[in-house]
Amino acid sequence: MSKFSIFKELWYFLKKRKRFWLAPIIMVLVLLSMLVIFAQTSAVAPFIYTLF
């Protein structure tokens, strides 16, 4: 099973069902989760917290 199979299946679902409006929502959720993960394990965390 491929490492990116979930992304392939998600893209197929979006393409087949014409649900392209879900793509920006998914991207924002992924970016926010990456920011949270980066903020927990980095020395830059105090600077990221001041943004909010």
Side-chain angles (χ1 to χ4, degrees):
M1 188 168 218
S2 174
K3 196 177 195 183
F4 298 104
S5 65
I6 274 199
F7 298 114
K8 288 179 186 177
E9 288 181 31
L10 180 64
W11 177 249
Y12 179 72
F13 170 77
L14 293 175
K15 195 167 113 177
K16 188 73 171 175
R17 305 273 188 218
K18 307 288 189 217
R19 307 269 184 198
F20 290 113
W21 55 271
L22 285 173
I25 296 170
I26 293 169
M27 283 198 273
V28 166
L29 288 174
V30 167
L31 288 173
L32 284 175
S33 63
M34 287 174 51
L35 180 67
V36 167
I37 291 170
F38 180 70
Q40 290 178 353
T41 60
S42 172
V44 194
F47 302 110
I48 293 175
Y49 289 129
T50 59
L51 293 175
F52 299 105

